[in-house]
């Protein structure tokens, strides 16, 4: 007898029908990983454009959801393991590894992902987690910067983000971050490209609706980096932003650009309070 | 009739054995003849194939054809071959069991190029063959491009 | 990623006669041989994990003959009836001839 | 009056030999509707059906359900179902909505399928690169084909 969620008994009559799968909204499933229950739904906070707030996990089907519920079955973890080796590996001219300065990733990186992206005083700009990693590489290790949204950098941010898994998203948007937040908000509501679509058109106004065969989520980023079936690798939030904007028949911004860092801050704020799921699994 | 995607969860091909027509000659793959029948023949050596007795677990709708979880099982199976009748090539994977196997079932994740029937053919320990098929709808992306 | 890495999940201990679930996953692109390079337009040669085997103390437990239609980062899950304490050995055979392997010991419960 | 128009245009075609498609910038909207055919000839409803369902063309079913197109998989639910639109709207209104729905429905999410200006960061199709020249998503002929198909969707 087969045992998985994917073999739940169901009606056999469905097979002939081709189109229109209708599901208005998220499902009711509970995300539990290693005995820990994750917050995938919460009421909107004051000023929140969304109420309730949902994790994208709630919009995926059972088969996709199941892969995130088991760290072994979650393919992202092979890349996390690779990054764990990189963490200990000396690279660059200074003879250092990440661990040389930061020690055990489990200790030093705990909670870091929760406040990303964050304003960096010294740099005078908003930095994503990737910026911090590459700063260490180029300025402390004497190593080359890793490519934005590339496999190696996404694996490293996944390893670091994992140390905050289960903690609430808690970006800081005031002080010097405020202007970045405003810029991100402006981008979120701008109707880009020849299709003239903003993030909000799909992810705010049509959450839960089907766009062709895709079930629209709120576009939250609490699961990034995420392993996607689409390209069978880890994807950064910026990589995902780029894909969405490209699909509006627009000239995209580049991963790592100030525009996408601003957008990342704004979208992180829209999902504040959601549990960090990184590295998540999506379609 | 209104149904939700959630309801698609999935179903066991064992429970829909009616969909699994078999019996070797005349098992036509007219619409999707990618060599599926030839692959079955190669596996069975042309022996007759019984209907049912093989379970296939798969999502009713796969959110992305690049990674479709699938599980097959058959009592007393020595080997189970999985075929994708609508892929460019039918072969997917063949599992071989032994006396040390706990259950005669296994799972993996497969690529399906489009909506199609997944087929599982089992060679049982007594040398006979059994087979089931199960439709899987494969989604396409939401936007253009 | 060139960094091919196998993972296996097996209970650390089990009683004789117990049926255990074995989960395996190897990071591998499973290049199907049907994809074209987006820049050159040339077909990217096939390079997949084509065979997976599991043995227990040298005795065969399970084998999978794999085609390009198995998804990238191939995941295989199966079960074993534990004969007693001993060592499981897993091997993944790449088209290029490389064998990736891993061993896991099971203690008596 | 409307019914006579094709005849008149047909006659004009015979004499003028070459009818130039109305350029995207020259489409005349009246209360969101476009009276005049963009091509000067009737659309091909069968091809319009293809345009509606093809992801590389109109991909209209990404957002709209069409019962008559049940053979085309996966219809979205962003916009209203199109069943019966041939009764609810005139041909001119449908032509206007397909060409530039924002002329009829202010702020609508529906893309403008026959428009080449006023975009923010327009791209070269789905490459993510900047567009050097913006061409309409659908050609004048495709718009007319879509309109012809939509006119067949009667309750």
């Amino acid at each position: 007898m087969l045992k998985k969620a994917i073999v739940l008994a169901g009606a056999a009559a469905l097979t002939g029908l081709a189109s229109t799968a209708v599901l208005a909204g998220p499902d009711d499933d509970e995300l539990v990983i290693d005995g820990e229950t994750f917050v995938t739904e919460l009421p909107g906070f004051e000023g929140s454009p969304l109420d309730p707030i949902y994790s994208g996990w709630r919009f995926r089907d059972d088969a996709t959801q199941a892969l995130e519920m088991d760290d072994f079955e979650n393919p992202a973890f092979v890349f996390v393991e690779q990054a764990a080796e990189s963490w200990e590996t000396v690279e660059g001219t200074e003879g250092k590894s990440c661990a040389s300065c930061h020690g055990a990733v489990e200790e030093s990186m705990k909670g870091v992902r929760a406040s990303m992206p964050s304003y960096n005083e010294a740099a005078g700009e908003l930095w994503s987690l990737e910026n911090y990693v590459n700063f260490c590489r180029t300025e402390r290790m004497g190593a080359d910067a890793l490519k934005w949204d590339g496999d190696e950098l996404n694996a490293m941010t996944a390893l670091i983000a994992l140390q905050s898994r289960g903690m609430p998203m808690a970006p800081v948007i005031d002080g010097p971050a405020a202007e970045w937040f405003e810029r991100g908000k402006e981008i979120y509501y701008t109707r880009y490209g020849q299709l003239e679509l903003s993030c909000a058109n799909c992810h705010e106004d049509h959450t839960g609706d089907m766009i062709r065969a895709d079930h629209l989520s709120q576009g939250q980023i609490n699961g990034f980096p995420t392993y996607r079936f689409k390209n069978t690798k880890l994807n950064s939030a910026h990589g995902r932003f780029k894909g969405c904007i490209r699909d509006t028949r627009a000239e995209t911004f580049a991963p790592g650009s100030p525009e996408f860092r601003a957008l990342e801050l704004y979208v992180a704020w829209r999902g504040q309070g959601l549990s960090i799921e990184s590295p998540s699994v999506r379609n | 009739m209104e149904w939700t995607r959630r309801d698609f969860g999935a179903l066991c091909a064992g429970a829909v054995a009616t969909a699994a027509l078999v019996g070797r000659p005349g098992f036509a793959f007219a619409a999707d003849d990618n060599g599926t029948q030839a692959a079955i023949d190669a596996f069975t050596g042309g022996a007759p194939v019984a209907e049912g007795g093989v379970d296939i677990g798969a999502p009713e709708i796969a959110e992305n054809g690049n990674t479709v979880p699938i599980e097959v099982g058959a009592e007393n199976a020595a080997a189970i071959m999985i075929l994708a009748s609508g892929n460019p090539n039918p072969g997917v994977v063949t599992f071989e069991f032994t006396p040390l196997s706990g259950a005669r079932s296994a799972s993996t994740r497969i690529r399906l190029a489009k909506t199609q029937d997944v087929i599982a053919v089992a060679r049982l320990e007594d040398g006979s063959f059994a087979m089931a098929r199960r439709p899987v709808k494969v989604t396409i992306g939401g936007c253009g491009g | 990623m060139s960094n091919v890495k196998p993972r296996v999940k097996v209970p650390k201990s089990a009683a004789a006669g117990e049926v255990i679930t074995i989960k395996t996953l190897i990071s591998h692109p499973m290049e199907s041989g049907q994809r074209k390079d987006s820049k050159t337009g040339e077909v990217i040669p096939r390079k997949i994990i084509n065979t997976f085997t599991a043995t227990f103390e040298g005795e065969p437990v399970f084998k999978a003959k794999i085609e390009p239609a198995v998804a990238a980062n191939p995941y295989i899950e199966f079960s074993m009836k534990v004969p007693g304490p001993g060592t499981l050995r897993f091997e993944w055979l790449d088209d290029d001839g490389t064998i990736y392997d891993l061993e896991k010991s099971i203690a008596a419960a | 009056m409307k019914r006579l128009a094709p005849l008149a245009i047909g006659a004009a075609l015979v004499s003028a030999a070459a009818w130039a498609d109305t350029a995207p910038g020259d489409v005349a909207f009246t209360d969101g509707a476009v009276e005049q055919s963009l091509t000067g000839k009737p659309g091909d409803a069968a091809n319009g059906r293809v345009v509606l369902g093809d992801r590389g063309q109109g991909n209209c079913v990404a957002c709209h359900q069409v019962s008559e197109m049940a053979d085309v998989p996966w219809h979205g639910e962003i916009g209203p179902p199109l069943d019966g639109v041939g009764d609810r709207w005139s041909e001119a209104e449908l032509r206007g909505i397909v060409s530039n729905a924002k002329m009829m429905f202010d702020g609508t999410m529906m893309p403008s399928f026959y428009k080449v200006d006023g975009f923010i960061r327009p791209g070269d199709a789905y490459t993510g690169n900047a567009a050097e020249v913006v061409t309409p998503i659908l050609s004048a002929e495709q718009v007319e084909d879509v309109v012809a198909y939509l006119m067949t969707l009667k309750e």
Side-chain angles (χ1 to χ4, degrees):
Chain A
M1 195 50 217
L2 309 183
K3 59 187 173 46
K4 299 233 164 176
I6 56 167
V7 295
L8 294 175
L14 305 175
T15 54
L17 208 31
S19 56
T20 58
V22 179
L23 170 50
D27 69 9
D28 300 324
D29 294 342
E30 191 175 56
L31 175 56
V32 180
I33 306 174
D34 269 348
E36 183 187 356
T37 302
F38 284 60
V39 175
T40 60
E41 174 179 354
L42 73 164
F45 49 89
E46 195 182 332
S48 170
L50 302 164
D51 185 17
I53 297 167
Y54 292 109
S55 162
W57 184 84
R58 294 278 296 276
F59 296 85
R60 303 280 53 93
D61 73 17
D62 289 350
T64 307
Q65 285 180 333
L67 264 61
E68 190 181 315
M69 298 180 76
D70 181 315
D71 285 351
F72 190 87
E73 296 188 30
N74 180 344
F77 276 81
V78 292
F79 306 108
V80 168
E81 282 188 4
Q82 288 168 1
E85 283 179 16
S86 303
W87 182 267
E88 308 283 345
T89 304
V90 171
E91 265 192 90
T93 56
E94 304 303 306
K96 289 178 184 169
S97 68
C98 305
S100 307
C101 295
H102 296 288
V105 67
E106 292 83 0
E107 299 301 322
S108 58
M109 293 296 126
K110 196 175 181 63
V112 167
R113 162 75 168 84
S115 58
M116 287 292 139
S118 68
Y119 187 79
N120 183 290
E121 293 286 351
E125 58 176 11
L126 186 81
W127 274 14
S128 298
L129 186 50
E130 287 89 337
N131 294 99
Y132 288 93
V133 171
N134 273 338
F135 176 83
C136 273
R137 289 184 60 88
T138 59
E139 305 305 313
R140 303 272 186 257
M141 296 166 66
D144 291 338
L146 298 174
K147 182 175 180 287
W148 258 90
D149 197 37
D151 293 343
E152 281 185 87
L153 190 50
N154 288 345
M156 184 54 73
T157 56
L159 171 71
I160 294 169
L162 173 65
Q163 314 313 324
S164 306
R165 195 167 66 167
M167 298 171 71
M169 296 277 284
V172 174
I173 62 163
D174 56 7
E179 61 176 306
W180 291 82
F181 176 86
E182 289 304 325
R183 175 75 177 118
K185 180 178 181 181
E186 181 195 330
I187 291 170
Y188 193 91
Y189 288 100
T190 298
R191 297 184 63 168
Y192 288 109
Q194 204 175 356
L195 299 188
E196 297 173 283
L197 295 173
S198 69
C199 307
N201 282 134
C202 286
H203 296 287
E204 184 170 304
D205 301 341
H206 286 282
T207 293
D209 287 346
M210 301 298 295
I211 185 161
R212 199 110 203 209
D214 213 353
H215 192 202
L216 285 170
S217 71
Q218 291 181 343
Q220 300 289 2
I221 56 171
N222 56 306
F224 282 84
T226 187
Y227 181 91
R228 293 191 70 195
F229 295 159
K230 183 187 173 92
N231 53 17
T232 60
K233 61 178 189 162
L234 286 169
N235 295 262
S236 68
H238 290 207
R240 192 70 189 88
F241 293 159
K242 181 182 171 184
C244 253
I245 293 185
R246 182 195 59 221
D247 283 349
T248 70
R249 292 174 79 112
E251 177 190 6
T252 64
F253 301 103
S257 63
E259 288 86 357
F260 276 171
R261 280 181 269 152
L263 182 61
E264 183 187 350
L265 177 65
Y266 177 68
V267 177
W269 170 79
R270 292 170 68 96
Q272 69 178 23
L274 286 173
S275 296
I276 291 166
E277 294 173 26
S278 321
S280 63
V281 180
R282 300 288 187 263
N283 54 322
Chain B
M1 164 172 146
E2 188 167 283
W3 31 275
T4 68
R5 277 197 93 180
R6 213 170 310 160
D7 293 330
F8 292 153
L11 53 156
C12 206
V16 255
T18 46
L21 18 123
V22 230
R24 199 179 76 72
F27 188 18
F29 294 90
D32 274 324
D33 192 5
N34 63 344
T36 296
Q37 186 61 61
I40 295 171
D41 289 346
F43 185 68
T44 63
V49 182
E51 169 187 335
V54 182
D55 291 331
I56 307 175
E60 179 78 16
I61 295 178
E63 282 196 302
N64 193 300
N66 273 345
T67 307
V68 183
I70 187 154
E71 184 175 20
V72 292
E75 262 185 62
N76 301 318
I80 302 177
M81 176 176 69
I82 300 176
L83 298 172
S85 66
N87 276 6
N89 297 302
V92 178
V93 65
T94 302
F95 298 130
E96 295 178 12
F97 304 99
T98 71
L100 282 179
S101 296
R104 303 306 169 96
S105 66
S107 30
T108 186
R109 299 166 187 164
I110 70 173
R111 292 166 168 159
L112 295 177
K114 59 178 181 178
T115 293
Q116 59 181 279
D117 283 357
V118 171
I119 290 163
V121 189
R123 187 178 76 242
L124 307 181
E125 282 176 336
D126 65 6
S128 66
F129 292 89
M131 171 167 164
R133 58 193 296 165
R134 183 191 157 99
V136 177
K137 290 196 189 72
V138 176
T139 64
I140 53 176
C143 312
Chain C
M1 203 177 274
S2 57
N3 197 353
V4 178
K5 192 176 168 63
R7 304 177 85 210
V8 169
K9 189 178 183 185
V10 175
K12 287 193 171 55
S13 65
E18 190 181 331
V19 173
I20 59 168
T21 296
I22 298 167
K23 299 178 177 183
T24 74
L25 195 152
I26 185 165
S27 56
H28 194 285
M30 294 293 281
E31 196 58 63
S32 68
Q34 287 166 6
R35 241 162 38 96
K36 282 184 181 165
D37 187 297
S38 58
K39 292 191 183 91
T40 66
E42 284 177 26
V43 173
I44 303 169
R46 173 185 138 149
K47 188 178 179 300
I48 68 166
I49 295 290
N50 59 51
T51 310
F52 166 79
T53 56
T55 53
F56 182 81
E57 297 291 319
E59 290 292 310
V61 176
F62 177 84
K63 181 175 182 179
K65 290 193 281 194
I66 298 169
E67 305 284 345
V70 164
N73 307 315
Y75 174 87
I76 296 176
E77 180 180 327
F78 57 99
S79 63
M80 182 177 79
K81 192 170 185 178
V82 178
T87 301
L88 271 160
R89 179 177 173 80
F90 306 93
E91 292 188 354
W92 292 259
L93 177 60
D94 192 299
D95 275 347
D96 69 8
T98 310
I99 295 173
Y100 301 95
D101 58 37
L102 206 60
E103 291 192 351
K104 290 275 181 181
S105 292
I106 301 177
Chain D
M1 197 276 291
K2 248 188 284 178
R3 300 287 163 241
L4 292 175
L7 261 184
I9 290 165
L13 266 178
V14 170
S15 55
W19 167 285
D21 292 344
T22 305
D26 296 336
V27 179
F29 290 87
T30 309
D31 297 329
V34 175
E35 288 290 341
Q36 197 172 54
S37 164
L38 302 180
T39 59
K41 55 182 190 244
D44 173 358
N47 188 54
R49 191 180 191 278
V50 173
V51 174
L52 259 87
D54 186 342
R55 283 179 75 212
Q57 299 187 54
N59 199 23
C60 309
V61 297
C63 293
H64 300 279
Q65 297 178 25
V66 190
S67 298
E68 197 279 320
M69 292 180 65
D71 57 313
V72 177
W74 318 114
H75 299 200
E77 48 187 354
I78 304 292
L82 300 182
D83 296 355
V85 283
D87 287 327
R88 289 196 296 280
W89 303 94
S90 71
E91 183 184 308
E93 287 166 331
L94 289 172
R95 183 178 294 115
I97 294 168
V98 173
S99 299
N100 185 353
K102 294 170 189 77
M103 303 298 282
M104 182 84 76
F105 311 110
D106 192 31
T108 180
M109 179 176 164
M110 180 165 163
S112 304
F113 288 87
Y114 200 66
K115 189 179 99 159
V116 291
D117 50 16
F119 301 123
I120 300 168
R121 298 176 71 88
D124 176 12
Y126 295 104
T127 62
N129 301 321
E132 286 180 18
V133 179
V134 178
T135 51
I137 301 168
L138 297 179
S139 68
E141 195 171 353
Q142 285 173 315
V143 171
E144 290 304 322
D145 293 351
V146 166
V147 170
Y149 172 71
L150 295 176
M151 287 304 291
T152 70
L153 298 177
K154 311 276 191 187
E155 294 289 8

